[in-house]
Amino acid sequence: MDLDLSSREALDRLTRDLAQREGDIADNEDYELPLLEPLSHDHPLLSATTTPLFDVEQFLLSRKHTSLTDLRVELRDYLAQLKEELVQLINDDYEAFISLSTDLRGEGERLQRIHAPVEDLRVEIEKSGITLKEVEEAVQNKLAERAKLREEKNLLRLLFNVSDSLIRLESLLLIPSPEDAQKDLGRRSKPAEYESEHRSRAGRAKHLSRVAGEFVQLLYQLDKVRGEGCAFVAENQWRIDRIRETFSRDLDQFFGSTLQSFLNSSENSTHERAYLFGELSECFKTYDVLDMHREAEEIIRLQIMQPFVRRVIFSGALNVPHSPVIPRTPFVTSKNTHSAPHTPFTPFTAYPQKRVTSQSYFFLSEQDSRLPLLDDSNDQLATLYNNILQFVERNCVDIMKIATQVARKYGKKPQNVQGSTPPLVPLAVEQLDLTEKVATFDIMGNVVWREIGRALMEELGALIFAAGKPTDFKTHYATTRAFLAGLEYLAPDLHAVQSMRAHPIYAAFERRWQLPVYFQLRWREIVEGLEYALSQAQGRPSLDIDSSGASPQAMGVLYAISSCWSPDIYITELAHRFWRLTLQIIERYKKWVLSKMPVIEASQSLTALREDKGVLSTRVASPPPPGTPPTDNANQFTAVDEDRLKQLASMVKDVKVVSQRVMLMWFEEISQFSQPSEDVDLEAVLRDSVSQIEAIIPEMTLQIVTILVKKCCEPVEKVRQVPGQIRATSRMRDAQGTPSAFVHEIFKPLRDFFGIAGTGSVVIGGPGAPSSAFRGAGRALREEYEEKWAREILEVVSSRYIQHLGIMRKNEEAVRRLKKGARTGISIFGLSNSNVQDDAQKEEERVRNQMILDVERLGKDAKSFGVELSVVPAYESLVSFAAQSDAV
């Protein structure tokens, strides 16, 4: 057996030792014997430096090769050595310890002599500290006095500066000082040179700008002085107020006159207009420096917007004809050629056509200065809005641009404003960054929209916001949204648009739109139309309504869904409500289809027809005599089944049309109108709703197939009449070359359902039955279900055919046994005896050939529907069953 590694190593070591003893291998290896280090102070386990704590276990392990007796002897020797060293140490230190008492004799007196001057030194140090503290306090008091004097000096200098500023401002504003008020009352009447310098229009703007700078400096100094509570400021407060009022009055007067001159300068020279442009810029700069933005806006509102709004917007403004405001025609000057004026305005429609949203957006280039207008051909409100837009473009746009340029260059501006291009597409409220409040000009919000919005709500609110008339409300809403988009197009920058939308009047204006009320009215209108369409009796589809031949109910559903997204009804702010209504309409149609779908009894289902063998055997047990006309009980296809078949075909066709049209509307209209969502896939939701309706189609088609199978199986029962027909015609002709009449009638219900014309083949037994009442009801379903349903019918019919042939064979065998003695029986399956007569054999051969011919004819009819006979096992069994040579 194999040795482990340790055993093999021991064996190798023994072998090597033996060889060395015998001299075969030279002993070159040195074997070291274990050496024990003697116990001493240098031992690693006994040294206090290397091992502070003595470890007994470690010490014993280091002496594992020493016996306990030897270890005890060794420890006793080391103990004796330690005791000897201890005695030697005591002897060495005892002499010094004994001499210590004699060495310290007289040290107490010396210590007392040293302690006496230390106390005096402490007292001197304390006195010096008190003196230094007094000096420090004196220095601090001096520094405080000097700081106070310095502050008073600065305050006095500020007061002098305030006094100088007051004197300069009174001089610049031609206000008499208190000293000169009594001496010279006519100080305001300056010489012509002074008046021409300070009051002439050429230097008026710069003069006011200089006054503004002085006034700002005065306000800064007053802010620093007021904190000191000086009586000088209180005594001269009336002078400060007089300066403020005088300067404000002069500035407002000059700004108002400059505004009027600027607005009336359209026919003046370009140089004059550029000069007025600079004057307005200086005025806006002065207002911006003094933080008097609201005062400038108030002047613009009172002098420009308010008179126009009062003249144009009043309670009867929509009932009187409006004369359009003549816009300023921009001419492009050229040195070489004379340019014709551009067309000033290009109308646009505020009423979008199909597949266009109700919002009107403007997409014009910056080089195009033309203003887009609303289509006011049949709308007085649009005409009013056009007049307002033209007035704002003519009188306010340039002023807003000047104010914006001044604010960007000299004043503060929001960080999110990067350019001067206004948004052409209205932004959502959550997209507006209004957290940063900056004191700047807001002419669009505080001037233009404030007057327009207030007047529209107060004067025309009862007409514009009336939700009781949905059609007029939608027209007014679309026109107003287009008007607001036009105003935003005229805004100088994005911040102006944001400020206008954040204005309280804008918020109040938006709240006046009763959109929920409008939706409720539209909801009732759409739902009432839908319920009326669904309540109509189901009849023949109306081909005049739609080329698809959908029923009025389906067209009502499609019209209701289309109405939700019609440009005449849809509003963007109500997108979520119209989306929910669309899904509700689809769900309502689904429930209506389920409620109107006929229910077939379990005994009449397709599965029952396939397994109805017992009933079949009972029904064919006693075949009627040949030539007997069928009775009413024999005809299982009643008028109720015909109505069901027509109704089911119409409903299947309607569901398919509704599903296709709804998804088509999604791609063409709904997807453009609906607001995309990150959390929900709207298209997937709509497809899911449509798929729930389409899930009903298999159940309805199963019922259609069940009814058709039942109808197609009825002619199969006539196969038991074939032997009688053969006997009746045997004397008339020798052979049969045409299939039986019932074979052609098997697929006749399916041909009538799909509206297929007959083949016109010659059959025995006379012409077929007339066309059914449901002829053509499933013409729209033929392409999709023709082959599938024909294969299903062929399978069930073949099974029934085999069952009939089996039963007939059993009956023939019974008759054969009864007539066995006479030997005159005839068999349709080729069972014969050697003693059967020749004529009986011929009749039997004719019956078998007729059966084969009928089965082949059945296969040809199935092929005409596109059925592959090889995939129908029941038919192959029928062919082999009919081709058997023996009947027994």
Side-chain angles (χ1 to χ4, degrees):
M1 63 187 229
D2 297 337
L3 299 176
D4 55 359
L5 183 60
S6 59
S7 301
R8 183 171 299 173
E9 291 177 354
L11 183 59
D12 293 339
R13 187 167 54 254
L14 293 176
T15 303
R16 187 170 56 254
D17 294 341
L18 181 61
Q20 289 177 354
R21 293 192 191 99
E22 294 177 356
D24 297 337
I25 300 177
D27 188 5
N28 297 326
E29 297 183 2
D30 296 334
Y31 294 97
E32 296 182 358
L33 297 177
L35 298 177
L36 295 179
E37 185 177 357
L39 298 181
S40 64
H41 300 317
D42 298 331
H43 194 281
L45 298 179
L46 299 178
S47 177
T49 57
T50 59
T51 309
L53 298 177
F54 178 72
D55 191 351
V56 179
E57 295 181 355
Q58 189 68 24
F59 178 76
L60 293 177
L61 289 175
S62 65
R63 300 286 174 166
K64 60 182 179 180
H65 300 289
T66 305
S67 63
L68 293 178
T69 303
D70 296 338
L71 181 60
R72 182 178 59 185
V73 172
E74 191 174 0
L75 288 175
R76 286 178 177 177
D77 294 341
Y78 182 63
L79 178 61
Q81 181 183 354
L82 289 178
K83 288 180 179 181
E84 184 179 355
E85 291 178 359
L86 180 59
V87 171
Q88 184 65 29
L89 180 62
I90 292 174
N91 293 333
D92 294 340
D93 295 340
Y94 184 75
E95 182 178 0
F97 179 75
I98 294 301
S99 62
L100 180 62
S101 60
T102 59
D103 294 339
L104 294 178
R105 185 177 303 170
E107 292 296 330
E109 297 177 358
R110 188 171 56 181
L111 290 176
Q112 290 179 0
R113 289 194 302 267
I114 295 174
H115 181 69
V118 172
E119 184 66 22
D120 297 336
L121 183 61
R122 184 179 63 79
V123 174
E124 293 295 332
I125 292 174
E126 289 179 355
K127 291 180 180 180
S128 300
I130 294 173
T131 304
L132 290 176
K133 186 176 295 184
E134 292 176 355
V135 174
E136 182 182 1
E137 291 178 356
V139 172
Q140 292 295 335
N141 293 334
K142 286 294 183 179
L143 292 176
E145 291 177 0
R146 296 186 63 180
K148 185 176 181 181
L149 291 175
R150 186 167 52 251
E151 292 177 358
E152 291 177 354
K153 182 180 178 181
N154 293 334
L155 178 61
L156 184 60
R157 186 181 294 110
L158 285 175
L159 292 177
F160 277 116
N161 292 337
V162 170
S163 179
D164 294 341
S165 296
L166 290 175
I167 295 174
R168 282 195 301 269
L169 287 172
E170 289 173 347
S171 175
L172 291 172
L173 295 175
L174 303 179
I175 300 175
S177 62
E179 296 81 4
D180 299 337
Q182 301 297 331
K183 298 178 181 179
D184 189 5
L185 298 176
R187 187 175 180 85
R188 292 183 66 90
S189 299
K190 301 298 290 181
E193 299 82 20
Y194 189 88
E195 186 70 20
S196 62
E197 180 182 358
H198 295 283
R199 291 298 184 181
S200 62
R201 187 172 186 83
R204 185 82 176 277
K206 294 183 178 180
H207 172 73
L208 292 176
S209 178
R210 178 184 175 187
V211 173
E214 289 289 342
F215 190 70
V216 170
Q217 184 178 2
L218 174 63
L219 294 178
Y220 171 74
Q221 294 171 353
L222 288 174
D223 289 338
K224 298 180 67 176
V225 171
R226 282 193 179 94
E228 302 297 334
C230 296
F232 177 80
V233 178
E235 293 176 357
N236 292 275
Q237 184 63 40
W238 65 275
R239 298 175 63 188
I240 300 172
D241 297 337
R242 184 176 60 174
I243 293 174
R244 185 192 302 272
E245 293 174 1
T246 303
F247 175 63
S248 178
R249 181 173 61 252
D250 292 348
L251 180 60
D252 294 347
Q253 182 180 3
F254 177 73
F255 180 60
S257 62
T258 307
L259 275 178
Q260 294 299 331
S261 301
F262 183 77
L263 296 178
N264 299 328
S265 64
S266 59
E267 298 179 359
N268 296 342
S269 63
T270 306
H271 176 73
E272 177 69 17
R273 186 168 181 82
Y275 168 75
L276 293 174
F277 187 91
E279 294 287 308
L280 282 180
S281 300
E282 289 294 333
C283 292
F284 278 116
K285 177 183 176 182
T286 303
Y287 279 113
D288 187 71
V289 168
L290 297 176
D291 199 13
M292 298 173 61
H293 307 93
R294 304 291 83 85
E295 287 77 1
E297 294 169 357
E298 186 67 15
I299 295 174
I300 300 174
R301 186 181 69 85
L302 294 176
Q303 293 192 8
I304 299 178
M305 285 304 302
Q306 191 177 78
F308 170 76
V309 170
R310 289 182 177 179
R311 186 178 68 253
V312 174
I313 303 176
F314 52 92
S315 58
L318 300 182
N319 299 325
V320 297
H322 294 272
S323 59
V325 177
I326 301 177
R328 182 177 68 256
T329 304
F331 288 88
V332 181
T333 59
S334 177
K335 297 181 179 180
N336 300 327
T337 60
H338 298 283
S339 300
H342 295 288
T343 302
F345 299 102
T346 301
F348 82 103
T349 177
Y351 314 106
Q353 301 298 326
K354 187 175 182 181
R355 302 182 184 92
V356 180
T357 60
S358 60
Q359 300 289 351
S360 297
Y361 303 149
F362 311 102
F363 299 92
L364 298 181
S365 62
E366 296 181 358
Q367 292 78 12
D368 195 347
S369 61
R370 295 176 296 178
L371 172 68
L373 298 178
L374 287 74
D375 183 10
D376 56 356
S377 57
N378 297 317
D379 191 356
Q380 290 292 329
L381 183 61
T383 303
L384 175 63
Y385 286 157
N386 284 339
N387 291 338
I388 297 174
L389 290 174
Q390 292 173 357
F391 178 83
V392 173
E393 193 273 340
R394 175 184 173 84
N395 299 282
C396 300
V397 169
D398 292 337
I399 298 175
M400 289 188 293
K401 289 181 179 178
I402 295 173
T404 303
Q405 292 175 2
V406 170
R408 289 177 180 170
K409 187 175 181 181
Y410 301 104
K412 298 180 180 179
K413 64 179 180 179
Q415 297 298 326
N416 59 341
V417 178
Q418 301 296 337
S420 60
T421 304
L424 300 182
V425 180
L427 302 174
V429 177
E430 55 271 11
Q431 292 178 284
L432 301 179
D433 185 11
L434 301 175
T435 57
E436 185 178 3
K437 301 296 183 181
V438 179
T440 184
F441 296 102
D442 185 14
I443 300 177
M444 176 60 75
N446 294 331
V447 177
V448 177
W449 175 248
R450 176 183 175 184
E451 286 295 320
I452 295 174
R454 180 193 56 78
L456 289 176
M457 288 189 293
E458 293 179 358
E459 302 295 339
L460 301 178
L463 297 176
I464 297 177
F465 304 106
K469 298 179 180 179
T471 302
D472 296 340
F473 179 86
K474 178 61 175 64
T475 303
H476 295 162
Y477 184 82
T479 306
T480 304
R481 302 313 299 185
F483 166 69
L484 293 177
L487 281 181
E488 294 177 359
Y489 173 74
L490 296 176
D493 56 14
L494 178 61
H495 183 262
V497 177
Q498 295 175 346
S499 300
M500 186 185 77
R501 295 189 183 185
H503 201 277
I505 293 182
Y506 191 93
F509 188 85
E510 290 295 327
R511 288 194 298 268
R512 290 291 298 274
W513 295 107
Q514 303 178 25
L515 295 181
V517 177
Y518 169 78
F519 176 77
Q520 289 297 329
L521 295 176
R522 290 298 191 184
W523 181 88
R524 184 174 62 182
E525 177 183 320
I526 294 174
V527 170
E528 287 179 354
L530 175 63
E531 293 299 331
Y532 175 76
L534 295 180
S535 63
Q536 292 184 357
Q538 289 181 280
R540 184 176 181 180
S542 176
L543 298 179
D544 298 334
I545 299 179
D546 189 83
S547 60
S548 62
S551 66
Q553 291 79 14
M555 295 307 300
V557 173
L558 294 175
Y559 179 78
I561 297 177
S562 178
S563 298
C564 294
W565 307 97
S566 171
D568 297 333
I569 296 177
Y570 174 77
I571 293 179
T572 303
E573 288 73 13
L574 299 174
H576 62 289
R577 295 175 181 261
F578 283 111
W579 173 254
R580 183 167 60 248
L581 178 58
T582 301
L583 299 180
Q584 291 174 349
I585 292 174
I586 297 176
E587 183 66 20
R588 176 68 181 92
Y589 180 64
K590 170 190 171 184
K591 294 181 179 179
W592 180 85
V593 171
L594 292 176
S595 64
K596 296 297 181 180
M597 186 174 61
V599 179
I600 298 180
E601 299 178 359
S603 59
Q604 301 295 328
S605 63
L606 183 62
T607 304
L609 292 176
R610 291 174 178 174
E611 300 177 355
D612 191 13
K613 297 180 180 180
V615 177
L616 178 65
S617 60
T618 304
R619 185 166 57 243
V620 300
S622 55
T628 303
T631 60
D632 295 338
N633 295 331
N635 186 6
Q636 299 296 328
F637 198 74
T638 62
V640 176
D641 294 329
E642 293 182 357
D643 294 339
R644 288 179 177 178
L645 195 59
K646 291 187 292 183
Q647 182 180 359
L648 289 169
S650 176
M651 293 175 68
V652 171
K653 181 168 53 180
D654 289 347
V655 170
K656 290 182 174 295
V657 170
V658 169
S659 302
Q660 295 173 359
R661 293 291 181 86
V662 168
M663 296 309 302
L664 182 62
M665 281 190 287
W666 163 260
F667 291 109
E668 293 182 353
E669 299 179 4
I670 302 177
S671 60
Q672 302 178 11
F673 288 144
S674 59
Q675 300 176 354
S677 176
E678 298 180 357
D679 301 332
V680 181
D681 187 357
L682 300 182
E683 182 180 356
V685 173
L686 185 63
R687 287 188 181 276
D688 182 68
S689 299
V690 171
S691 62
Q692 293 181 9
I693 303 179
E694 295 177 341
I696 310 175
I697 294 179
E699 185 176 355
M700 292 189 293
T701 55
L702 180 61
Q703 295 189 20
I704 293 176
V705 173
T706 300
I707 297 175
L708 292 176
V709 166
K710 185 170 63 173
K711 176 62 178 176
C712 294
C713 286
E714 291 182 359
V716 180
E717 297 181 1
K718 298 180 181 179
V719 68
R720 53 190 176 178
Q721 301 177 5
V722 172
Q725 293 176 357
I726 295 299
R727 294 189 189 97
T729 58
S730 61
R731 298 181 180 89
M732 297 168 45
R733 52 185 175 178
D734 295 337
Q736 297 290 342
T738 58
S740 303
F742 76 91
V743 179
H744 184 70
E745 295 178 0
I746 291 176
F747 282 100
K748 184 178 182 301
L750 186 60
R751 286 193 294 270
D752 291 344
F753 180 75
F754 288 138
I756 303 174
T759 58
S761 302
V762 180
V763 295
I764 62 173
S771 299
S772 305
F774 56 88
R775 181 174 181 80
R779 184 178 289 107
L781 308 177
R782 177 182 177 183
E783 182 178 357
E784 182 176 359
Y785 296 104
E786 179 182 13
E787 188 273 337
K788 178 180 179 181
W789 290 356
R791 185 174 68 252
E792 188 74 23
I793 292 174
L794 178 62
E795 182 178 357
V796 178
V797 167
S798 300
S799 300
R800 284 294 185 90
Y801 211 123
I802 294 174
Q803 294 175 14
H804 279 286
L805 293 181
I807 293 173
M808 292 174 62
R809 184 176 64 180
K810 293 180 181 179
N811 294 338
E812 187 67 20
E813 291 176 354
V815 173
R816 185 188 303 277
R817 285 194 296 269
L818 292 175
K819 298 181 178 181
K820 184 176 182 180
R823 295 186 181 183
T824 59
I826 182 171
S827 174
I828 65 173
F829 293 97
L831 297 175
S832 61
N833 298 323
S834 58
N835 298 327
V836 177
Q837 299 179 355
D838 295 339
D839 54 350
Q841 292 180 355
K842 291 180 180 180
E843 290 181 359
E844 190 172 318
E845 186 67 21
R846 289 195 198 101
V847 172
R848 184 171 57 255
N849 294 337
Q850 185 65 40
M851 292 296 178
I852 296 174
L853 189 62
D854 292 346
V855 172
E856 291 178 353
R857 178 61 186 180
L858 179 63
K860 291 180 181 180
D861 290 347
K863 284 184 177 181
S864 65
F865 293 98
V867 179
E868 292 291 338
L869 301 181
S870 59
V871 299
V872 185
Y875 179 77
E876 293 183 350
S877 301
L878 176 62
V879 172
S880 61
F881 194 87
Q884 290 178 356
S885 59
D886 294 334
V888 181

